[in-house]
């Protein structure tokens, strides 16, 4: 029989404590990383094994550019614009092609910002381009109803002292400008503004040759309008500077009207076959090449034919359209062409005659014009120099 003496009891207690440490305390210490040796073993990499590297998220791809490189968009302007899409539908059916840009005009005397106009165009898969005109267009309408000559109409509508360029530059219209800037900013998608076009003529009150305007006033007015939008945070605007084709050496050189690349995103040219100096048959090259070359002496911004059309006065409308589409690839810096689908001074619509519609449909069927627009796209603002 084992006798319980004091030394034996002490030894038993010591043994019990050692067993408790071995099975409970020691494993927890190692697992908790408090053992220097265990921590050292965990910190040392295993020979031949590469430690995994945490990967950072890939940057988001840049948004697609409109139009893509090597492509040219087709746009349209009708007399109804987004107020009535029936003329657009007729154009689309005749061209068998969905346009990607719609140009429409609003005059300062009567128009206030209306989001619905822009949203209607966007919903049709087209980028809105606002032709923003600082004048009272009703004077023009009244003159036309009086059956006056073209030059008489020009003189009447160009004389509108309220809309002198100096008044725009001096801030007289700033509250009006800000109302549009805030509205366009709220759209949240790209729009183009073609402000005070054809400034090198003498038929609008914003031309320097009319309305008491002086040399240099156009650039000052343009920059002021642009700066009001910039201060309002309307950075979703593509600014389109659009001149009329040079038809004579007597007309002013275009560089005098150019606000500078910091104020312009696209440059434009307006030109038609079948009216004025271009009444006799002239090819696309004969109408546009000279002005295109002149613009390229002071800017290399992407270029858009912002208005064009052809009459059928000599029965050669379809021929002109075919030739135009054959010629366009020779101008890789032309990123868009907007057709003036209106029966105004003459019938510029592509459906008149049917042969013109056929020629247009064949032209835009080329891969160069296979373009789509979406609100997520970023308008192209650079081009490759030739």
């Amino acid at each position: 029989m084992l006798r319980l003496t004091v030394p034996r009891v002490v030894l038993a207690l010591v043994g019990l404590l050692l067993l408790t440490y071995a099975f409970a305390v020691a494993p927890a210490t190692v697992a908790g990383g408090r053992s220097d040796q265990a921590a050292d073993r965990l910190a040392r990499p295993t020979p031949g094994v590469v430690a995994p590297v945490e990967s950072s998220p890939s940057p988001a791809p840049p948004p697609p550019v409109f139009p893509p490189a090597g492509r040219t968009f087709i746009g349209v302007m009708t007399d109804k614009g987004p107020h009535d899409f029936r003329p657009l539908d007729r154009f689309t059916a005749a061209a068998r092609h969905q346009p990607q840009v719609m140009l429409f005009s609003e005059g300062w005397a009567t128009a206030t910002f209306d989001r619905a106009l822009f949203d209607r165009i966007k919903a049709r898969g087209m980028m809105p381009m606002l032709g923003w005109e600082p004048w009272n267009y009703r004077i023009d309408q009244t003159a036309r109803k009086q059956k006056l000559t073209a030059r008489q109409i020009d003189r009447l509508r160009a004389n509108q002292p309220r809309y002198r360029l100096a008044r725009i530059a001096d801030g007289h219209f700033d509250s009006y400008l800000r109302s549009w800037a805030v509205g366009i900013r709220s759209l949240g998608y790209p729009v183009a503004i073609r402000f005070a076009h054809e400034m090198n003529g003498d038929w609008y009150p914003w031309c320097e040759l009319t309305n008491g305007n002086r040399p240099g006033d156009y650039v000052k007015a343009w920059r002021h309008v642009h700066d009001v939008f910039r201060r309002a945070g309307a950075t979703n605007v593509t600014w389109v500077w659009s001149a009329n084709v040079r038809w004579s050496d007597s007309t002013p050189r275009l560089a005098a009207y150019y606000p500078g690349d910091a104020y312009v995103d696209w440059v434009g040219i307006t030109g038609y076959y079948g009216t004025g100096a271009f009444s006799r048959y002239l090819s696309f090259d004969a109408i546009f090449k000279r002005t295109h070359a002149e613009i390229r002496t002071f800017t290399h911004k992407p270029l858009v034919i912002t208005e064009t059309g052809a009459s059928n006065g000599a029965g050669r409308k379809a021929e002109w359209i075919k030739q135009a589409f054959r010629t366009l690839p020779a101008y890789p810096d032309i990123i868009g062409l907007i057709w003036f689908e209106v029966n105004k001074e003459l019938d510029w619509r592509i459906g008149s005659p049917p042969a013109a519609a056929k020629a247009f449909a064949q032209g835009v069927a080329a891969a160069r014009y296979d373009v789509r627009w979406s609100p997520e796209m970023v308008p192209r603002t650079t081009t490759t120099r030739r």
Side-chain angles (χ1 to χ4, degrees), residues 362-385:
Q362 289 174 341
V364 296
R368 181 180 187 86
Y369 310 103
D370 184 11
V371 180
R372 297 292 180 269
W373 177 83
S374 72
E376 295 75 29
M377 302 182 83
V378 175
R380 178 179 297 281
T381 57
T382 59
T383 188
T384 303
R385 299 188 183 189

Side-chain angles (χ1 to χ4, degrees), residues 113 132 177-193 225-239 265:
F113 176 76
W132 214 24
L177 297 177
R178 281 192 293 269
S179 70
W180 278 80
V182 171
I184 288 177
R185 181 190 65 193
S186 72
L187 293 174
Y189 54 82
V191 302
I193 294 182
V225 172
H226 179 281
D227 288 346
V228 169
F229 272 67
R230 183 180 59 188
R231 287 192 294 268
T235 57
N236 55 324
V237 175
T238 298
W239 291 94
D265 299 301

Side-chain angles (χ1 to χ4, degrees), residues 131-143:
W132 214 24
E133 303 174 349
W135 70 329
N136 184 353
Y137 75 91
R138 290 173 175 168
I139 295 176
D140 175 75
Q141 288 183 331
T142 300

Side-chain angles (χ1 to χ4, degrees), residues 101-301:
V101 171
M102 172 170 253
L103 171 62
F104 70 104
S105 296
E106 296 290 339
W108 286 17
T110 57
T112 57
F113 176 76
D114 183 355
R115 181 188 180 110
L117 299 179
F118 295 87
D119 285 345
R120 288 172 194 161
I121 295 173
K122 171 200 167 190
R124 287 290 190 109
M126 298 180 293
M127 178 182 179
M129 182 183 290
L130 169 66
W132 214 24
E133 303 174 349
W135 70 329
N136 184 353
Y137 75 91
R138 290 173 175 168
I139 295 176
D140 175 75
Q141 288 183 331
T142 300
R144 292 183 185 280
K145 290 178 181 178
Q146 295 172 351
K147 305 297 183 182
L148 302 176
T149 67
R151 291 308 294 164
Q152 287 174 327
I153 293 172
D154 288 347
R155 284 193 292 269
L156 281 173
R157 70 182 191 173
N159 183 30
Q160 300 189 34
R162 171 175 168 75
Y163 298 99
R164 281 186 181 141
L165 293 168
R167 287 177 54 81
I168 298 173
D170 289 344
H172 286 79
F173 294 92
D174 278 9
S175 60
Y176 180 75
L177 297 177
R178 281 192 293 269
S179 70
W180 278 80
V182 171
I184 288 177
R185 181 190 65 193
S186 72
L187 293 174
Y189 54 82
V191 302
I193 294 182
R194 182 197 186 206
F195 170 67
H197 62 292
E198 299 171 22
M199 76 302 292
N200 57 319
D202 63 357
W203 48 83
Y204 287 125
W206 56 81
C207 299
E208 287 188 359
L209 304 178
T210 64
N211 204 29
N213 297 319
R214 297 170 297 179
D217 282 351
Y218 183 82
V219 167
K220 292 176 185 177
W222 177 287
R223 290 178 176 178
H224 182 79
V225 172
H226 179 281
D227 288 346
V228 169
F229 272 67
R230 183 180 59 188
R231 287 192 294 268
T235 57
N236 55 324
V237 175
T238 298
W239 291 94
V240 185
W241 178 88
S242 178
N244 200 76
V245 290
R246 290 281 301 279
W247 63 92
S248 166
D249 288 332
S250 65
T251 58
R253 294 192 64 81
L254 298 177
Y257 302 118
Y258 189 64
D261 283 356
Y263 293 87
V264 174
D265 299 301
W266 293 350
V267 293
I269 307 176
T270 294
Y272 292 81
Y273 153 58
T275 185
F278 306 109
S279 295
R280 64 185 179 86
Y281 185 83
L282 292 171
S283 67
F284 182 93
D285 257 346
I287 295 172
F288 290 102
K289 188 173 184 177
R290 177 184 177 186
T291 305
H292 173 274
E294 180 179 343
I295 288 174
R296 286 298 175 236
T297 65
F298 56 83
T299 181
H300 285 274
K301 287 289 184 176

Side-chain angles (χ1 to χ4, degrees), residues 88-108:
L88 168 69
D89 292 338
R90 287 192 289 269
F91 171 86
T92 303
R96 300 199 292 274
H97 186 86
Q98 165 67 43
Q100 298 88 48
V101 171
M102 172 170 253
L103 171 62
F104 70 104
S105 296
E106 296 290 339
W108 286 17

